[in-house]
């Protein structure tokens, strides 16, 4: 089954509203509408920038989605500082990054937290926000040689309690921690090996047909120079882009590599 690639920009904690509007407008200006037939594109700004970015894209009728970088699983209530799924829907988010390694390491997010978020996002079948479920090993785990088992366990934990009807709306991003923001990209073979293993885990959980339809992205210092080789791998269905998504020309060049 041919999977439509997804290129998603993770802006992390960058850009004030004014800066977000400028960057979104720059991306919108160079984005050609027929690209959307071949590739899905999303930008994931900080929460406060979501609405301004969405407004620019709607005004221009640019077929680029917006996604959040995090969410809380309860719909409302006494959860100071958190943002709910209904709030993200109200803004028009199509995607939400879940379990990014920075959240796992800096903010102590556990596999159980990730699972709660994934299940809450996948529960709505009418207007789903697609979770981009991030998994990936540290350098220590890679050096030990146990990285396939490690990532397999992360995927199983993230999807615990879901079925193939839920899981078909999810995206998985393989992001080796040693490659994030370091300029040290995984080689296409290294990335392909783990992305194929992730698909095998998904097939074990949800059946081969469902797993064939789920997009598995690579993330970790992807840029306009290495995107083509990575995206040419059979189990890499797009990219989650950090640093290079903060420059319109670089981000759009990565989108072009997926065409
Ligand atoms: C990320 O944070 O998801 C990421 C892949 O970052 P970078 O592209 O900067 O390595």
């Amino acid at each position: 089954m041919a999977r439509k690639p997804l290129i998603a920009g993770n802006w992390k904690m960058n850009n004030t509203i004014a800066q977000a509007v400028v960057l979104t407008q720059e991306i919108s200006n160079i984005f050609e509408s027929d690209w959307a037939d071949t590739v899905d594109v999303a930008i994931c700004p900080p929460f406060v920038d979501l609405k301004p970015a969405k407004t620019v894209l709607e005004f221009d009728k640019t077929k680029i989605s917006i996604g959040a970088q995090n969410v809380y699983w309860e719909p409302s209530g006494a959860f100071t500082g958190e943002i709910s799924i209904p709030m993200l829907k109200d803004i028009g988010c199509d995607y939400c990054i879940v379990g990014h390694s920075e959240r796992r390491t800096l903010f102590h997010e556990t596999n159980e937290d990730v699972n709660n978020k994934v299940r809450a996002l996948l529960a709505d079948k009418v207007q789903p926000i697609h979770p981009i479920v991030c998994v990936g090993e540290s350098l220590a785990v890679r050096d030990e040689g146990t990285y396939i088992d490690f990532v397999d366990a992360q995927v199983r934990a993230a999807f615990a309690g879901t079925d193939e009807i839920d899981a078909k709306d999810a995206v998985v991003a393989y992001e080796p921690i040693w490659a994030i923001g370091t300029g040290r990209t995984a080689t296409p073979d290294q990335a392909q090996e783990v992305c194929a293993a992730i698909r095998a885990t998904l097939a074990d959980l949800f059946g081969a047909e469902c797993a064939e339809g789920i997009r598995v992205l690579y993330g970790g210092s992807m840029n306009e120079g290495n995107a083509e080789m990575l995206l040419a791998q059979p189990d890499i269905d797009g990219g989650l882009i950090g640093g290079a998504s903060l420059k319109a020309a670089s981000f759009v060049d990565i989108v072009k590599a997926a065409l």
Side-chain angles (χ1 to χ4, degrees), residues 8-12 97 100-102 134 173-185 218-223 239-246 254:
N10 174 13
W11 290 11
K12 310 195 188 198
I97 298 170
H100 190 281
S101 62
E102 286 152 16
C134 297
Y174 169 54
E175 297 211 306
I177 296 170
W178 46 271
I180 295 180
T182 58
R184 181 184 164 189
T185 321
Y218 167 77
S221 299
M222 194 188 261
N223 58 41
L240 183 55
I241 326 294
S245 72
L246 296 171
I254 296 170

Side-chain angles (χ1 to χ4, degrees), residues 45-200:
F47 288 128
V48 294
D49 297 337
L50 283 168
K51 186 72 183 169
K54 180 76 180 172
T55 302
V56 170
L57 295 170
E58 275 180 346
F59 185 82
D60 284 2
K61 297 191 172 54
T62 303
K63 292 180 191 153
I64 293 179
S65 296
I66 57 164
Q69 298 174 17
N70 188 25
V71 73
Y72 194 62
W73 55 85
E74 294 291 350
S76 63
F79 303 104
T80 302
E82 295 297 322
I83 297 286
S84 72
I85 294 171
M87 292 170 185
L88 297 184
K89 281 193 184 157
D90 192 38
I91 292 179
C93 283
D94 290 316
Y95 296 93
C96 182
I97 298 170
V98 178
H100 190 281
S101 62
E102 286 152 16
R103 295 220 55 85
R104 292 179 191 258
T105 52
L106 301 174
F107 302 102
H108 315 294
E109 218 170 271
T110 64
N111 276 339
E112 196 186 347
D113 296 330
V114 172
N115 178 243
N116 281 329
K117 294 176 186 191
V118 168
R119 280 190 294 125
L121 286 163
L122 292 177
D124 186 336
K125 300 283 174 289
V126 182
Q127 189 199 341
I129 294 181
H130 306 281
I132 302 177
V133 184
C134 297
V135 295
E137 79 285 359
S138 64
L139 191 55
V141 170
R142 166 125 319 232
D143 288 345
E144 265 168 27
T146 53
Y147 52 94
I148 297 284
D149 288 345
F150 182 88
V151 170
D152 172 83
Q154 279 188 322
V155 173
R156 288 179 192 277
F159 284 95
T162 66
D163 60 21
E164 68 270 22
I165 296 166
D166 302 325
K168 66 169 183 13
D169 288 326
V171 177
V172 179
Y174 169 54
E175 297 211 306
I177 296 170
W178 46 271
I180 295 180
T182 58
R184 181 184 164 189
T185 321
T187 65
D189 285 349
Q190 286 174 322
Q192 164 60 24
E193 181 194 23
V194 184
C195 290
I198 289 170
R199 200 175 309 286

